[in-house]
Amino acid sequence: MGLLRIMMPPKLQLLAVVAFAVAMLFLENQIQKLEESRSKLERAIARHEVREIEQRHTMDGPRQEATLDEEEDMVIIYNRVPKTASTSFTNIAYDLCAKNKYHVLHINTTKNNPVMSLQDQVRFVKNITSWKEMKPGFYHGHVSYLDFAKFGVKKKPIYINVIRDPIERLVSYYYFLRFGDDYRPGLRRRKQGDKKTFDECVAEGGSDCAPEKLWLQIPFFCGHSSECWNVGSRWAMDQAKYNLINEYFLVGVTEELEDFIMLLEAALPRFFRGATELYRTVGKKSHLRKTTEKKLPTKQTIAKLQQSDIWKMENEFYEFALEQFQFIRAHAVREKDGDLYILAQNFFYEKIYPKSN
C-alpha cells in the first residue's frame, strides 16, 4: 500500500509557515518580557531589603562614627572575573555572613557591563565609603578595578580577586553561554541551541572563540581607563600588574582556590573565619558550579590560540599573578603530611624604651 499523503494547497502551506513564524516571534517576545519582569522584580526586592535594613538601623538609633572600630569599618571588594570559580567563592561569603556578622552585597550592573559611567563611579564610591549600615561589607560583582584614591577617599576598600588560566577560562565561558551550568540549570542562556564545539569554532574562525575574547582578565585589573580595554595594549598589561601588586590585598588562582581561602581566613578572620573548613567539608561538593556539556579542547586548538599575541599577554599576566600568589603562600604556610598549615606569628617586639616605672 502506498503512503497516505495529506496535500495542502500552496496558499495554505504558506499561511501555515507564516502563522508558525508569528507564533514563534510571539513566544520569544513573551519570554523576553518575562525575563525583563523578573529583572525588575529582583531590583524591587533588593531595594525593599535595603530600606528594611536602613529602617532597622534607624529604629536602633543613629550609628556614630566613633562606634566603628577598625574591623567594623572594613569593606572588601571582590571584582570577580567571569568563569574563575567566582560564584563558588562568593557562596562561601554568603554562608559565613550571618555567623561572622557582616553584609554581602552583589553589584548588579546593566548587562554585566564591567565599566561604570563617571556618575555611577561617584555614586559607587560614595555608597561604599559612607553606607555605615552595610559595614563591615563584602561587595562582589563583574566590575573592573576602580581607583578610590582619585575620588579623594582617605580609607580605601580592600580589593581581592581570583584569576584563571586564560584558555581554560574562555572554554568554560564558551560552553556556559550555550549550556549553562548546574547552579541554575533551567535558566535560558544567550547562545542556547548552538551545538558547535569550541574546537569547531576555532577551526572555523568563529567570533565567540577568537583570541580577542581572551582579553578580559587584564582589563578587569587595569581599570576604567580607555586604554585598559584596547585589546593587546602593553600599557594595559603593565597597569594591571601594577594594580595587582599595589592595590590588591590578595589575588588567587582558580586552580588553587582552597589555598586562597586559607590565606584569607588567616589574614582577614573578621570575614573569613571558618571558611577553610566550610570549603573542605561542604564547598567542594556544593559550591563549585560546573559548566554543562563542556568539552576539553584538542592540542591543535590550544596551539592555534597560543600563536596569538593576545594569548601571550594574558598568559604572561596569569603567570605573573600565579608567581605572586605562590610567593605569598610560601611565606605564610608550611606543608606537613601532604596538608598545608598556616604559620603562627613569627615576629615579636623587644628592646622597648623608655622603660616604664
Side-chain angles (χ1 to χ4, degrees):
M1 292 178 63
L3 292 173
L4 179 63
R5 295 184 179 178
I6 300 175
M7 300 297 295
M8 294 177 63
K11 288 184 178 180
L12 287 178
Q13 290 182 11
L14 180 60
L15 284 172
V17 170
V18 171
F20 178 76
V22 170
M24 291 303 296
L25 287 172
F26 175 78
L27 285 173
E28 288 184 2
N29 185 52
Q30 293 299 108
I31 291 172
Q32 185 176 352
K33 286 183 178 179
L34 285 172
E35 289 179 349
E36 290 175 354
S37 298
R38 179 181 62 81
S39 180
K40 289 179 180 178
L41 180 61
E42 287 178 347
R43 287 188 174 91
I45 292 172
R47 286 194 294 267
H48 177 71
E49 289 176 344
V50 168
R51 282 196 298 269
E52 277 193 335
I53 292 171
E54 289 179 337
Q55 288 172 1
R56 203 158 54 236
H57 281 278
T58 301
M59 291 173 65
D60 293 340
R63 195 171 178 180
Q64 301 298 325
E65 186 74 27
T67 63
L68 288 178
D69 61 24
E70 194 69 24
E71 285 193 338
E72 297 305 301
D73 197 32
M74 190 180 297
V75 171
I76 293 176
I77 297 181
Y78 172 35
N79 65 315
R80 39 195 286 202
V81 180
K83 304 312 297 176
T84 56
S86 61
T87 299
S88 306
F89 173 63
T90 303
N91 283 344
I92 291 176
Y94 275 111
D95 286 348
L96 291 173
C97 65
K99 179 181 177 182
N100 290 346
K101 294 181 172 55
Y102 61 88
H103 297 91
V104 181
L105 300 90
H106 178 218
I107 310 161
N108 189 348
T109 59
T110 303
K111 296 182 179 179
N112 281 333
N113 186 356
V115 178
M116 289 182 173
S117 66
L118 183 61
Q119 59 270 32
D120 274 349
Q121 292 178 40
V122 173
R123 294 184 189 110
F124 181 61
V125 170
K126 184 178 180 181
N127 290 155
I128 293 287
T129 54
S130 62
W131 201 359
K132 297 184 183 67
E133 290 80 8
M134 292 295 113
K135 291 182 179 181
F138 179 96
Y139 292 76
H140 67 97
H142 298 311
V143 182
S144 59
Y145 169 77
L146 185 62
D147 182 10
F148 277 61
K150 67 187 289 186
F151 297 91
V153 173
K154 294 181 180 179
K155 182 173 181 178
K156 298 194 292 185
I158 295 172
Y159 266 95
I160 62 171
N161 216 327
V162 177
I163 68 171
R164 186 177 185 178
D165 175 276
I167 291 181
E168 289 183 6
R169 194 206 64 80
L170 180 59
V171 171
S172 181
Y173 189 63
Y174 178 88
Y175 285 108
F176 173 75
L177 290 180
R178 286 152 178 78
F179 302 102
D181 54 27
D182 55 5
Y183 186 66
R184 290 186 290 180
L187 187 62
R188 182 179 177 83
R189 299 298 174 181
R190 182 150 49 93
K191 296 285 185 176
Q192 188 169 324
D194 182 4
K195 304 293 184 182
K196 188 182 298 181
T197 67
F198 186 81
D199 288 326
E200 292 169 343
C201 179
V202 171
E204 296 172 9
S207 59
D208 284 349
C209 55
E212 288 77 14
K213 295 293 183 181
L214 291 166
W215 190 260
L216 190 67
Q217 298 187 131
I218 286 175
F220 256 73
F221 279 79
C222 178
H224 277 69
S225 300
S226 61
E227 188 64 18
C228 296
W229 298 89
N230 185 1
V231 178
S233 167
R234 172 64 59 174
W235 180 90
M237 186 180 72
D238 291 342
Q239 185 64 38
K241 287 181 177 180
Y242 176 88
N243 288 342
L244 186 147
I245 295 296
N246 296 284
E247 304 296 343
Y248 280 79
F249 179 77
L250 183 66
V251 176
V253 293
T254 304
E255 297 78 6
E256 299 174 13
L257 189 60
E258 183 177 327
D259 296 354
F260 172 71
I261 293 170
M262 180 188 295
L263 288 173
L264 283 176
E265 180 174 1
L268 299 173
R270 176 66 183 80
F271 285 81
F272 298 104
R273 185 178 291 106
T276 308
E277 185 64 23
L278 179 64
Y279 179 78
R280 286 173 175 171
T281 57
V282 181
K284 286 183 178 180
K285 295 180 180 178
S286 65
H287 285 151
L288 282 179
R289 61 193 290 187
K290 297 179 181 178
T291 302
T292 310
E293 301 290 336
K294 183 170 68 176
K295 296 178 177 63
L296 296 177
T298 63
K299 292 181 179 179
Q300 292 84 353
T301 296
I302 294 173
K304 187 173 182 179
L305 286 173
Q306 289 177 341
Q307 294 173 7
S308 162
D309 289 337
I310 298 170
W311 172 82
K312 292 174 183 176
M313 295 179 72
E314 277 279 348
N315 191 65
E316 181 181 335
F317 178 67
Y318 169 75
E319 294 288 347
F320 178 84
L322 177 61
E323 182 181 358
Q324 175 67 8
F325 175 72
Q326 291 177 340
F327 177 83
I328 292 173
R329 184 181 61 187
H331 288 79
V333 302
R334 287 292 179 269
E335 184 176 353
K336 183 179 180 182
D337 299 328
D339 292 324
L340 293 179
Y341 295 90
I342 292 291
L343 289 174
Q345 182 170 313
N346 204 26
F347 73 93
F348 59 94
Y349 303 102
E350 62 179 4
K351 300 179 181 179
I352 303 170
Y353 287 86
K355 297 290 186 180
S356 58
N357 295 327

